[in-house]
Amino acid sequence: MSRFSNTVIGLLNLFTLLASIPIIGGALWITRSSATCESILQTPLLIIGFIILIVSLVGFIGACFHLAWALWLYLVVMLLLIAALMAFTIFGFIITGAGGGTAVSGRLYNEYRLEDYSPWLRNKVEDPKYWVTVRSCILGSKTCRDIVMWSPVDYLTKDMSPIQSGCCKPPSECNYEMSMMAQNIDCYKWSNDPSVLCYECDSCKAGVLENVRRDWRKLSVLNVIMILLLIGIYCIGCCAFRNTRRAETDYPYGENRMSKVGPRWDFFWWRWWHERRRRLN
């Protein structure tokens, strides 16, 4: 039973070690595959992936070679990782609680308002340096290429993504027949120029935040699953650490008294050294 916990923790850490590779790869790929080159989620994913990689490697070595110090370090870092994931998940649910689209009468798509989102997300997207990168990615992805060719019937019968709804057209409330009336400021930022459209509109920034909000929600659900998995691995790791410590403390009494845990890597050296000292004395 004692060797069983070490074997299980070793296999589980091998699994998490391999699982960390696609997490890191996904974080590196997310900015290329996304129409907005989202970088808000890239850094957290990279940090999580590298921490899981290092922690799993330490736990795997400690479990396979019965190194108590490695298992102790593994358990401490694992506890910090679980706490950090919990804090990150709670933070994610808080900042993504607000937002969502507003239905447009007679249309299948929704429209989005910047003021509906959390202040933290708004401050992020209103940063000029961040927005220049996002704007260039939207232009490069040609997200609006098909929308600008739509007929009035298409606007009534087709759905749009948040980016298309906010960046590729003016808000539905705009009335350009009465140019002097007070309207949403986005109505004046709109242009028919394909390189301009509504890329500087608040509705476009809101569409980007809606994409971020949806991705962060999915990541938060994944984090909850990861936390439950890590708690289970942590409990098994505690058993492996206890068994390894028990094997070490049995050394002063001669042969290792645990029948199902093999000697630690330095056991035979330790026994040879003490027998030599006994003969010299």
Side-chain angles (χ1 to χ4, degrees), residues 164-212:
Q164 291 173 331
S165 176
C167 304
C168 305
K169 66 173 189 60
S172 300
E173 63 189 78
C174 295
N175 187 345
Y176 293 103
E177 294 180 358
M178 300 179 64
S179 58
M180 299 302 295
M181 66 182 295
Q183 297 191 80
N184 187 331
I185 189 66
D186 285 348
C187 297
Y188 304 104
K189 295 180 180 179
W190 161 261
S191 172
N192 287 322
D193 186 344
S195 64
V196 178
L197 297 181
C198 214
Y199 294 131
E200 295 300 328
C201 297
D202 287 347
S203 61
C204 185
K205 296 177 180 178
V208 171
L209 290 187
E210 179 62 21
N211 260 17
V212 172

Side-chain angles (χ1 to χ4, degrees), residues 74-209:
Y74 164 77
L75 291 176
V76 171
V77 178
M78 178 71 79
L79 186 61
L80 295 176
L81 176 61
I82 292 173
L85 277 177
M86 285 183 174
F88 179 71
T89 302
I90 293 173
F91 176 73
F93 278 117
I94 291 175
I95 67 171
T96 59
T102 302
V104 181
S105 178
R107 311 291 171 89
L108 297 179
Y109 56 83
N110 293 337
E111 292 187 339
Y112 306 89
R113 299 183 302 176
L114 190 60
E115 57 270 20
D116 290 341
Y117 295 86
S118 68
W120 190 88
L121 286 176
R122 290 205 307 269
N123 291 336
K124 190 74 176 177
V125 80
E126 287 174 349
D127 182 358
K129 293 181 180 179
Y130 175 80
W131 186 247
V132 167
T133 302
V134 173
R135 186 181 185 278
S136 63
C137 285
I138 298 175
L139 275 169
S141 67
K142 300 182 177 172
T143 304
C144 297
R145 180 178 54 185
D146 297 330
I147 303 298
V148 295
M149 303 300 295
W150 278 11
S151 67
V153 176
D154 291 328
Y155 281 96
L156 295 174
T157 58
K158 294 184 179 180
D159 195 7
M160 296 185 189
S161 69
I163 300 295
Q164 291 173 331
S165 176
C167 304
C168 305
K169 66 173 189 60
S172 300
E173 63 189 78
C174 295
N175 187 345
Y176 293 103
E177 294 180 358
M178 300 179 64
S179 58
M180 299 302 295
M181 66 182 295
Q183 297 191 80
N184 187 331
I185 189 66
D186 285 348
C187 297
Y188 304 104
K189 295 180 180 179
W190 161 261
S191 172
N192 287 322
D193 186 344
S195 64
V196 178
L197 297 181
C198 214
Y199 294 131
E200 295 300 328
C201 297
D202 287 347
S203 61
C204 185
K205 296 177 180 178
V208 171
L209 290 187

Side-chain angles (χ1 to χ4, degrees), residues 48-77:
I48 292 172
F50 278 113
I51 290 178
I52 292 176
L53 176 66
I54 296 172
V55 171
S56 300
L57 183 60
V58 173
F60 179 76
I61 294 174
C64 291
F65 294 95
H66 303 286
L67 300 177
W69 65 267
L71 285 175
W72 179 84
L73 179 62
Y74 164 77
L75 291 176
V76 171
V77 178

